[in-house]
Amino acid sequence: MKYLLQFLLIGAFYYLGELLHELIPLPIPAAVYGLVLLFAVLCSGLLKLEHIEKTADFLLAIMPLMFIPPAVGIVNLLDILADSWWKIVIICIATTFTTIAITGHTAQALVRLRQRIARRRDPAARG
C-alpha cells in the first residue's frame, strides 16, 4: 500500500505537469513541468523525500526498460535511416560534447555560487 501511495504521488505531479502543458503555450514537455513542480515541493519541504523515495528508486532502476520500445522502433526503420547514418552519428557526437560542455559550465557556476554564498555567511573566511 505504501508503494501505491508513493506511485500515486509521483503520478499526481506528472498529471499536474500535463495540465500545465495544456494551459501554458510553451514548447516544454509535460513531464518537465511535473518534475519542476515535484522538485519545488520537495525543496519547500511540503513533501519529504521519504514519501516518494522507494518508488522513485524503483522507477529509476527500471528506466532502461523504458528505452526498449523506441529502440525496437528504430531497428524497424534501419532501411530508411541507412542513407543518413553518418548525419546521425555526427549529430550524436555534437550533441554529446555540447551536453558535456554545458553540464561542466553549469556545475562550475554552481560551485562558484556556493562558494560565494559560503563566504557571505562566514565573514571570518573572507580574510
Side-chain angles (χ1 to χ4, degrees):
M1 191 68 170
K2 175 181 169 183
Y3 294 108
L4 180 61
L5 180 62
Q6 290 183 11
F7 189 79
L8 288 173
L9 276 169
I10 293 170
F13 281 97
Y14 177 78
Y15 180 71
L16 288 172
E18 288 286 343
L19 289 175
L20 281 177
H21 181 70
E22 292 298 320
L23 295 173
I24 302 172
L26 293 174
I28 298 174
V32 173
Y33 283 121
L35 284 174
V36 169
L37 286 173
L38 180 58
F39 179 71
V41 172
L42 285 169
C43 286
S44 72
L46 294 173
L47 180 67
K48 303 254 186 276
L49 181 60
E50 297 83 37
H51 295 144
I52 60 167
E53 187 171 23
K54 298 281 186 191
T55 300
D57 288 342
F58 169 73
L59 290 172
L60 285 172
I62 66 164
M63 190 173 15
L65 293 174
M66 305 301 174
F67 290 101
I68 292 174
V72 170
I74 289 173
V75 169
N76 286 336
L77 299 174
L78 284 180
D79 55 330
I80 297 171
L81 299 174
D83 297 334
S84 306
W85 69 268
W86 61 274
K87 294 177 191 174
I88 295 169
V89 169
I90 290 172
I91 290 170
C92 287
I93 291 170
T95 56
T96 298
F97 283 111
T98 303
T99 302
I100 290 170
I102 291 172
T103 303
H105 286 294
T106 303
Q108 288 175 349
L110 289 173
V111 167
R112 284 192 295 270
L113 178 65
R114 180 179 279 177
Q115 289 171 346
R116 270 190 254 138
I117 291 171
R119 277 189 244 125
R120 286 183 189 158
R121 288 185 180 163
D122 186 15
R126 290 184 192 172

